[in-house]
């Protein structure tokens, strides 16, 4: 298996961890997966900073086992440069679809993959 495939797979694993209710509800676990200079543009259009996301994530959808969960599909990933992976995929949650794009960075051989940027774009019900 190629190094690129391993790096993309590791970034996808991080993305899936961020959708896990146990991780979303635990700020210390989220901190392990987000870069300190993380930014998100959510499906609502709101811009989130690292601190805002850390504070809000435990209260957002997907943070409880009994609440709405994100169902991801169609992951694709590209190694843009050493230590930088771009992922795209779709999610469905409570009947709402979104197309998502994330940048994951790994800075140095001893570091772990962390999300640097995320954007979610809502998909209208009639769109394919």
């Amino acid at each position: 298996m190629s190094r690129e495939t391993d790096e993309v797979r590791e970034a996808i694993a991080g993305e899936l961890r961020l959708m896990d209710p146990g991780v979303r509800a635990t700020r210390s676990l989220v901190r392990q997966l987000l870069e300190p200079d993380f930014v998100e543009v959510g499906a609502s259009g709101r811009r989130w900073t690292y601190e805002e996301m850390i504070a809000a994530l435990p209260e957002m959808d997907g943070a409880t086992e009994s609440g709405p969960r994100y169902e991801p599909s169609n992951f694709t990933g590209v190694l843009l440069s050493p230590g930088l992976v771009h992922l795209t995929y779709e999610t469905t949650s409570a009947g709402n679809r979104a197309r998502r794009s994330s940048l994951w960075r790994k800075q140095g051989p001893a570091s772990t993959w962390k999300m640097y940027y995320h954007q979610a774009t809502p998909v209208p019900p009639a769109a394919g």
Side-chain angles (χ1 to χ4, degrees):
M1 190 165 286
S2 72
R3 177 181 169 157
E4 293 82 10
T5 301
D6 289 344
E7 292 182 345
V8 167
R9 188 172 55 236
E10 288 177 35
I12 291 171
E15 195 81 51
L16 292 172
R17 283 192 68 212
L18 279 170
M19 289 183 222
D20 180 280
V23 172
R24 294 175 78 79
T26 309
R27 289 182 173 102
S28 62
L29 295 176
V30 175
R31 279 182 175 35
Q32 294 173 16
L33 293 165
L34 299 182
E35 288 269 347
D37 46 0
F38 166 83
V39 172
E40 175 173 327
V41 178
S44 67
R46 179 180 171 174
R47 182 182 184 278
W48 297 83
T49 65
Y50 173 81
E51 291 299 333
E52 290 168 337
M53 186 56 69
I54 297 286
L57 200 57
E59 308 304 320
M60 297 173 90
D61 284 352
T64 63
E65 293 290 340
S66 61
R69 301 278 301 265
Y70 287 99
E71 298 174 29
S73 62
N74 302 319
F75 273 101
T76 60
V78 176
L79 180 68
L80 298 176
S81 65
L84 183 63
V85 169
H86 178 225
L87 297 179
T88 58
Y89 62 100
E90 289 190 17
T91 57
T92 304
S93 177
N96 298 313
R97 284 179 52 210
R99 291 194 176 105
R100 298 179 178 271
S101 176
S102 298
L103 291 174
W104 286 79
R105 290 197 306 194
K106 184 175 182 180
Q107 299 182 332
S111 68
T112 60
W113 286 97
K114 293 188 176 195
M115 186 185 287
Y116 172 74
Y117 178 80
H118 184 79
Q119 182 162 349
T121 304
V123 179

